[in-house]
Amino acid sequence: MTAPLAAAPTSADRRRWARYLVEERAEGTVYQRLAARRDGEERDILLRLADAERRHEQHWLDLLGGEPRRLPRAGVRSRLLGWMAGRFGSIFVLALAQSAEARSPYDSEHYATPAMRADEKVHYEVVRGLAARGRRRLSGSFRAAVFGANDGLVSNLALVLGIGATGVSSGFVLFSGIAGLLAGALSMGAGEFVSVRSQRELLAATEANEDAAASAHDLDIDENELALVYRARGVEPDEALARARRIVTAAQAGVRRAATGPISVPTGDDHDIVGSDWTAAISSFLLFASGAIIPVLPWIFGLQGTVAVVVALVLVGLALLTTGAMVGILSGGPPLRRALRQLAIGFGAAAITYLLGLLFGVGVA
C-alpha cells in the first residue's frame, strides 16, 4: 500500500523513484538468474525474492503513473551482479547481493511503505542464509586454496627479496626462486598426502565389522558379551542389551537381519569427507606453485636488479589484493579492508627478509 504523501512530488522525487524502479528490476533479475541455476528449495526461495522485488517495482510504477518514457541505467554494482548471476550463479554473487541488501535506501525514504522497509530487512536475512549455505559448502576448499596460494606468494617473495638484497646475481635469484617453489610445493603436497592418508587409516582402524553378528547364533541368549560391543560404541546399557537380544533371537531363529545388526561407523561417508590422499597432495602442490611462481616471473623474463624487485612487488601485491578481496566478499566483510590486510601481512613478511638480506649483503645489484 502506498504511503500517504504530505505534498506534491517534485521532479527530484520522480527521478529518485525512477532510480528505485530500475534498481528493483535489476535485483529481481539477479534473483531470477540465480534461481535458473539452482533447484529445489534454493530455487523456490530465490523466485520468491524475485516476486518481492516485483512488488516493490510496482509501487514505484504506481507513484510514477506508469512506465516513464526514459529511465536511468541501473548502478554498476547491480549490472555487474546481473551479469555474474547469468554466467556463474556462484556464492560470490550471493555474497555481493547480501552486501547490497544491507544498504537499503528505504529507511530514510518517506515515499517507501513500512512493509517495503521491513521487506528489505527480511531480504537481507534470507540472502545471508543462502550465502551461508554456500560458504559452508565452500569453506574447506576455499580455505585450502587461499592458504596454499598465499603461502606460495609470501614465502617465495620473501625468499627472492632476501636473496636479491644480498647482492648476488640475477641468475642465482632465479635459481633460488625456482628451488623455493619446488621445495615449498613438494613440502605442501607431501604434508597433505601424509595428513589425509593418516586420517583415512585412523578411520579404517575405528570401523566396526560384522564378526560378532555372524556368530550370534552360537551365543547364549542370557549370557554373552554382544551387548558390550554396543556399549563400547557409546550405546546406553539398556539399549545395548535390547539390541543384543534382538540379534541373538533372530540368529537362533535362522533369520539374520542385517538392518538390525551392529551399528558400524559410517565408513563410506567419512572417507568421502576426508577425500583422496593423492588428490589432496596434487591440489596442494599446484596451489602453492601457482602462488610461488608469481614472485619469480620478473627474473624468468630476464629482468634484473631493482626493476625485477619492483615488478615482483607489483605482481604479488595485485595477487594479495585479489585474494584478500575475495575473502572479504565471501565473509560478507568489506573487501577493501580485507585486501589491504592481506597486502600488509604479505609485504610485512617480505620486508623482514629483505632487511635481513641487506644486513648480510651489499644491496640489490
Side-chain angles (χ1 to χ4, degrees):
M1 179 178 179
T2 303
L5 306 183
T10 65
S11 58
D13 290 332
R14 295 182 65 83
R15 286 194 298 270
R16 195 169 64 254
W17 299 345
R19 189 169 65 252
Y20 292 150
L21 171 63
V22 297
E23 289 296 332
E24 293 289 1
R25 283 181 178 172
E27 289 179 13
T29 299
V30 169
Y31 295 136
Q32 284 180 318
R33 290 178 177 175
L34 286 173
R37 305 179 69 89
R38 283 169 166 75
D39 51 27
E41 185 183 37
E42 288 193 14
R43 176 184 173 85
D44 182 60
I45 292 172
L46 289 164
L47 288 176
R48 288 176 180 270
L49 285 175
D51 289 340
E53 301 297 351
R54 280 193 287 270
R55 290 198 307 270
H56 295 182
E57 175 189 338
Q58 188 60 48
H59 171 80
W60 302 117
L61 278 172
D62 292 341
L63 287 179
L64 288 165
E67 183 80 16
R69 287 187 300 173
R70 296 183 61 183
L71 285 172
R73 296 186 69 189
V76 174
R77 176 187 288 269
S78 297
R79 297 201 306 272
L80 178 62
L81 278 177
W83 181 84
M84 293 175 64
R87 288 160 178 78
F88 306 110
S90 67
I91 175 59
F92 290 99
V93 182
L94 282 172
L96 289 169
Q98 175 188 338
S99 300
E101 291 287 359
R103 294 187 301 274
S104 171
Y106 295 162
D107 289 337
S108 58
E109 176 55 71
H110 64 277
Y111 283 99
T113 66
M116 291 171 66
R117 286 189 280 271
D119 280 349
E120 291 299 312
K121 291 179 172 57
V122 171
H123 292 179
Y124 171 77
E125 289 300 323
V126 172
V127 175
R128 187 180 67 82
L130 291 175
R133 290 186 181 187
R135 289 184 182 110
R136 284 192 292 269
R137 291 193 294 262
L138 188 63
S139 59
S141 57
F142 183 72
R143 181 202 64 81
V146 170
F147 173 73
N150 264 17
D151 194 10
L153 280 167
V154 175
S155 63
N156 227 28
L157 176 67
L159 176 64
V160 296
L161 290 191
I163 294 294
T166 63
V168 298
S169 67
S170 297
F172 190 82
V173 175
L174 175 60
F175 172 78
S176 300
I178 297 298
L181 183 156
L182 291 174
L186 288 170
S187 175
M188 288 282 290
E192 280 295 308
F193 181 88
V194 172
S195 174
V196 174
R197 174 61 67 88
S198 298
Q199 193 169 358
R200 290 175 68 87
E201 291 172 349
L202 181 63
L203 285 173
T206 62
E207 291 173 3
N209 60 54
E210 305 296 330
D211 291 348
S215 58
H217 60 279
D218 293 326
L219 294 174
D220 187 299
I221 196 167
D222 293 317
E223 295 188 13
N224 65 78
E225 288 73 44
L226 186 58
L228 299 181
V229 175
Y230 292 103
R231 292 178 64 181
R233 296 175 189 171
V235 179
E236 292 296 324
D238 291 343
E239 176 64 16
L241 183 60
R243 288 171 184 258
R245 285 183 176 276
R246 286 199 301 270
I247 287 179
V248 172
T249 299
Q252 290 183 343
V255 179
R256 180 177 181 187
R257 299 185 303 177
T260 58
I263 297 177
S264 61
V265 176
T267 59
D269 290 343
D270 286 347
H271 282 271
D272 289 341
I273 292 171
V274 173
S276 164
D277 41 22
W278 280 108
T279 300
I282 294 171
S283 298
S284 295
F285 179 94
L286 294 177
L287 287 169
F288 183 95
S290 67
I293 192 64
I294 293 177
V296 189
L297 288 175
W299 285 273
I300 290 178
F301 287 100
L303 299 181
Q304 300 180 17
T306 303
V307 175
V309 169
V310 171
V311 172
L313 287 171
V314 170
L315 293 175
V316 172
L318 290 173
L320 289 172
L321 288 172
T322 300
T323 56
M326 290 171 61
V327 171
I329 290 172
L330 282 178
S331 64
L336 180 59
R337 186 181 302 172
R338 300 292 192 274
L340 292 176
R341 181 183 68 183
Q342 204 96 325
L343 182 68
I345 293 172
F347 276 13
I352 293 173
T353 57
Y354 182 77
L355 292 174
L356 289 174
L358 288 178
L359 288 177
F360 293 100
V362 293
V364 178

